[in-house]
């Protein structure tokens, strides 16, 4: 689904990583770890066409990302749900409208049940009419997850989804992501929360990748 | 037909897309105000262009078929020379009619300079004869030669000396009106482009989020295009109405006289201002579309 072959990325003349290979198979579950500044967020951005690799090839659903124009990237984004650490909402819209935004921009009419079901799934039914600034950190992350899955994407990329929430909310979010994986979704989570990884590995066969010293390595039993 | 449907779709809009981009008060007011001012000026430019066009046509057609004979003679000989000149003119091929202006008519001609009740009979004012040509026209050189022989005090003016510069001046004024309208359209496009750029910059975060969830650039651009097109249409409609009312309130020609009071519309020409709001909307549509797509491309 998403493949990176010998990919390098440089920013401001400095090479963030190089010779990086990654393949996300359908239904797989991956964690991406590494110290702050190692390039986890950049790697995720390469995976949804936000950035273009400076060397190597990124293939998104079989297509070369470098050859894609903005319209093609927009179409790819509808097949990849993204959850950001800072959520990135439109603060003047309600939670329900934010969750329905991917449907709106793709020209599809959001059915009330689509949004209602998702709000119920992430436990935000009562907050539907509120605006994002009125939500707590955990509620915002759950709303972001609901928005990421409303288009029923094949892949879900999450960047530090538990970075701003307490342990209990982390477990709740992870349970939702595990549920999505059981439904056949491919999941890639960038996190430095090792306890979260340990908990998840107890329930699902997940690969843990570590981005360190500009290389991507398969993490061992030291987790 | 397809173009018309696209325009109607654009104006009808997508309420959800409109909700996604929050309105910015500053650019909204700027666009409406500039469209109002430009439409107001455009009404005057249009009126100037149409009025000078009429003036050029009138001078060209009316003066081309008339000539004036001026008889300057001692007081005792004026009547005799007038009669002799009329006799010559009546037998000149190409002259449809010729008549001597009455004292009242000559007094009216001089009134703008000397005021009313001028004792014209006591002044050495030349006698004027109005000559109207037929379609074939007369031989000017031949007539001058005959008059020189038979009416020594007569001077023939066939108006060509000053008709051409007047018609050219009127034509230049008409061109000036058209150029003014083009400049107004250009200035409107520039102001709307600036306002659209400001709105796009103010909504950078909104654009980022919409792209994140899969919005195409044209979808994002349409939200801005529709908004600016409607603002320009609204402002220009108000400006056109105000400009047209101002033209209506100008002094009437028969009251004040002179060229400037002829500024305005006549007959079905009153419908011409209706095109101004439509043109403003078209200019706003094109300017916003260009600005939005270029800015979105730069932000890629």
């Amino acid at each position: 689904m998403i493949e990176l072959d010998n990919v390098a990325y440089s920013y401001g003349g400095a090479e963030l990583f190089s010779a990086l290979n990654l393949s996300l198979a359908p239904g797989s579950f991956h964690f991406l770890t590494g110290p702050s500044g190692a390039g986890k967020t950049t790697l995720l951005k390469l995976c949804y066409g936000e950035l273009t690799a400076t060397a190597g090839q990124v293939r998104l659903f079989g297509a070369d990302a470098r050859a894609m124009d903005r319209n093609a990237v927009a179409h790819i984004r509808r097949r990849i749900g993204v959850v950001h650490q800072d959520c990135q909402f439109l603060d003047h819209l309600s939670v329900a409208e934010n969750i329905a935004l991917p449907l709106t921009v793709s020209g599809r009419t959001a059915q009330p049940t689509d949004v209602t079901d998702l709000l119920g799934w992430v436990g935000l039914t009562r907050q539907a009419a509120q605006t994002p600034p009125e939500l707590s950190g955990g509620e915002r992350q759950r709303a972001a997850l609901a928005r990421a899955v409303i288009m029923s994407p094949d892949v879900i990329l999450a960047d530090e989804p538990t970075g701003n929430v307490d342990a209990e909310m982390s477990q709740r979010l992870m349970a939702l992501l595990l549920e999505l994986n059981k439904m056949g979704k491919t999941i890639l989570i960038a996190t430095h929360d090792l306890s979260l990884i340990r908990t998840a590995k107890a329930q699902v066969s997940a690969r843990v990748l570590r981005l360190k010293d500009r290389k991507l390595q398969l993490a061992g039993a030291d987790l | 037909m397809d173009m018309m449907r696209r325009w109607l779709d654009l104006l009808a809009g997508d309420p959800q897309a409109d909700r996604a981009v929050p309105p910015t008060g500053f650019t909204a007011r700027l666009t409406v105000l500039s469209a109002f001012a430009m439409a107001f000026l455009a009404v005057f430019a249009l009126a100037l262009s149409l009025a000078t066009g009429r003036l050029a046509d009138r001078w060209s057609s009316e003066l081309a078929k008339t000539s004036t004979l001026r008889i300057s003679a001692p007081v005792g000989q004026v009547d005799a020379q007038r009669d002799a000149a009329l006799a010559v003119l009546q037998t000149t091929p190409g002259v449809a009619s010729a008549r001597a202006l009455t004292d009242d008519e000559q007094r009216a001609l001089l009134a703008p300079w000397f005021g009313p009740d001028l004792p014209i009979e006591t002044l050495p004012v030349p006698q004027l004869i109005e000559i109207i040509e037929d379609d074939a026209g007369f031989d000017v050189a031949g007539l001058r030669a005959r008059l020189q022989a038979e009416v020594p005090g007569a001077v023939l003016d066939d108006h060509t000396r000053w008709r051409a510069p007047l018609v050219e001046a009127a034509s230049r004024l008409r061109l000036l009106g058209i150029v003014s309208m083009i400049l107004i359209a250009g200035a409107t496009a520039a102001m709307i482009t600036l306002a659209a750029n400001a709105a796009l910059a103010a909504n950078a975060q909104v654009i980022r989020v919409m792209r994140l969830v899969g919005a195409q650039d044209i979808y994002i651009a349409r939200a801005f295009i529709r908004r600016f097109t409607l603002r320009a249409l609204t402002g220009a409609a108000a400006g056109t109405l105000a400009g047209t009312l101002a033209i209506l309130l100008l002094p009437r020609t028969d009251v004040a006289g002179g060229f400037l009071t002829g500024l305005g519309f006549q007959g079905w020409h009153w419908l011409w201002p209706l095109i101004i709001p439509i043109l403003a909307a078209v200019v706003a549509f094109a300017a916003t579309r260009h600005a939005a797509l270029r800015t979105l491309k730069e932000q890629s």
Side-chain angles (χ1 to χ4, degrees), chain A residues 48 70-71 74-75 77-78 82 84 87-90 92-94 97 101-102 104-105 108 110 147, chain B residues 14 16-17 19-22 205-206 208-219 296-297 300:
Chain A
Y48 63 87
R70 284 226 56 89
N71 283 344
H75 280 289
R77 296 269 173 88
R78 295 171 193 178
V82 182
H84 276 270
C87 298
Q88 300 211 0
F89 290 118
L90 298 183
H92 62 285
L93 298 184
S94 69
E97 286 172 321
L101 196 60
T104 307
V105 302
R108 289 159 57 176
R147 185 183 65 184
Chain B
D14 176 352
Q16 287 181 307
R19 285 263 302 135
V21 180
Q205 173 63 11
V206 171
R208 196 157 38 245
V209 172
M210 289 176 79
R211 278 179 161 166
L212 179 72
V213 298
Q216 290 183 311
D217 282 359
I218 191 66
Y219 179 88
L296 290 170
K297 192 176 176 184
S300 300

Side-chain angles (χ1 to χ4, degrees), chain B residues 265-277:
Chain B
F265 304 103
Q266 286 181 4
W268 67 271
H269 282 180
W270 281 103
L271 296 176
W272 269 112
L274 291 177
I275 207 170
I276 292 173

Side-chain angles (χ1 to χ4, degrees), chain A residues 103-168:
Chain A
L103 287 173
T104 307
V105 302
S106 62
R108 289 159 57 176
T109 307
Q111 300 299 323
T113 50
D114 293 340
V115 181
T116 311
D117 290 352
L118 274 176
L119 282 166
W121 180 64
V122 295
L124 293 175
T125 304
R126 284 190 297 112
Q127 290 85 348
Q130 292 180 3
T131 56
E134 296 173 300
L135 301 183
S136 69
E139 288 170 337
R140 286 167 65 83
Q141 288 293 351
R142 281 183 281 149
L145 183 59
R147 185 183 65 184
V149 301
I150 196 166
M151 292 288 282
S152 194
D154 302 306
V155 180
I156 293 162
L157 307 175
D159 188 6
E160 302 283 3
T162 59
N164 294 325
V165 297
D166 58 29
E168 186 187 340

Side-chain angles (χ1 to χ4, degrees), chain B residues 65-85:
Chain B
K65 293 291 177 191
T66 62
S67 301
T68 305
L69 191 66
R70 190 178 75 234
I71 298 170
S72 301
V75 178
Q77 295 178 25
V78 169
D79 289 348
Q81 291 211 20
R82 180 193 62 209
D83 293 344

